[in-house]
Amino acid sequence: EDQVTQSPEALRLQEGESSSLNCSYTVSGLRGLFWYRQDPGKGPEFLFTLYSAGEEKEKERLKATLTKKESFLHITAPKPEDSATYLCAVQVRERNAGNMLTFGGGTRLMVKP
Amino acid sequence: DTEVTQTPKHLVMGMTNKKSLKCEQHMGHRAMYWYKQKAKKPPELMFVYSYEKLSINESVPSRFSPECPNSSLLNLHLHALQPEDSALYLCASSQDKNRDRGNIQYFGAGTRLSVL
């Protein structure tokens, strides 16, 4: 069974304090790994997709990396507006899986000024 | 433009009411999804439509009835809901043609449903 685990569940940072969020996965065949940001009461906002080990993507203060077992979302010098829940999800190659996303439990990030 | 529009934003209904949630996208996506999300939990998949046909039903109770009138619209009809059905209901859409690499799902802002 496909599994996605995110850690930590919650993370408190001071403004400017860089850190990383982890997403470990066990799947039969990875088609893609996705990072989303979700603000309270809103829908998930797409951030990055990674397809193969060694791939990296960057956007402003965020950088996503991928290995064969896990992905990291690095946050450099975070600001209070980066506070949100960050969701990791995978799509797999199983014939009947279609575009189904298997989500991790999310990491709730709070950045204090 | 990666916008998925959901209406209404908020909905309060009694257990005997019938209501509908609506979702619209104009990105030319041929796959559309309904998710249910409880507080502090990730989204849970309910239904998948591919080329206007229901392709996945994740054992959702029959009081939830999806409908895809055309490639841009997705509805979720609600009838005789229970208080435990109160949640954020999310719609998403994606391409449905990339078999080797994943297809990005774009989410709407959601409908906050309260069942009294």
Side-chain angles (χ1 to χ4, degrees), chain B:
Chain B
D1 182 15
T2 57
E3 188 170 1
V4 176
T5 303
Q6 289 188 244
T7 56
K9 294 191 186 317
H10 302 278
L11 179 63
V12 179
M13 60 186 291
M15 288 189 284
T16 58
N17 291 158
K18 286 185 180 180
K19 297 285 185 183
S20 297
L21 309 184
K22 297 185 184 300
C23 175
E24 189 169 3
Q25 57 88 15
H26 296 287
M27 295 177 277
H29 290 168
R30 301 311 296 271
M32 297 186 77
Y33 313 79
W34 280 115
Y35 289 85
K36 172 182 177 180
Q37 187 176 28
K38 293 285 222 179
K40 297 188 177 182
K41 296 289 187 183
E44 296 177 38
L45 183 66
M46 300 173 73
F47 302 104
V48 181
Y49 272 84
S50 177
Y51 292 85
E52 294 98 71
K53 291 185 179 179
L54 183 65
S55 60
I56 294 176
N57 176 341
E58 290 288 273
S59 301
V60 179
S62 60
R63 57 186 183 269
F64 295 92
S65 176
E67 177 196 20
C68 190
N70 59 56
S71 60
S72 299
L73 294 174
L74 186 66
N75 298 321
L76 185 63
H77 303 297
L78 313 173
H79 173 55
L81 295 192
Q82 304 297 310
E84 59 263 31
D85 296 321
S86 298
L88 181 68
Y89 287 84
L90 295 164
C91 172
S93 71
S94 76
Q95 300 282 6
D96 194 20
K97 56 186 179 183
N98 200 338
R99 298 300 174 190
D100 291 329
R101 291 158 70 93
N103 291 290
I104 301 167
Q105 290 188 24
Y106 295 95
F107 287 81
T111 294
R112 172 68 61 189
L113 174 67
S114 297
V115 182
L116 304 179

Side-chain angles (χ1 to χ4, degrees), chain A residues 11-12 15 23 26 41-42 51-52 59 63 70 74 77 82 84 88 99 102-103:
Chain A
L11 181 62
R12 291 190 175 195
E15 185 173 1
C23 171
T26 305
K42 301 287 181 63
Y51 296 111
S52 56
K59 178 181 179 182
K63 179 180 178 180
E70 58 192 349
H74 307 278
D82 294 322
C88 170
N99 296 311
T102 300
F103 282 93

Side-chain angles (χ1 to χ4, degrees), chain A residues 73-110:
Chain A
L73 185 64
H74 307 278
I75 303 178
T76 302
K79 298 181 178 181
E81 53 262 42
D82 294 322
S83 298
T85 294
Y86 290 85
L87 295 166
C88 170
V90 299
Q91 281 180 357
V92 299
R93 296 185 186 281
E94 289 175 26
R95 186 169 57 184
N96 297 322
N99 296 311
M100 288 175 60
L101 288 174
T102 300
F103 282 93
T107 293
R108 292 189 302 281
L109 174 66
M110 182 180 295

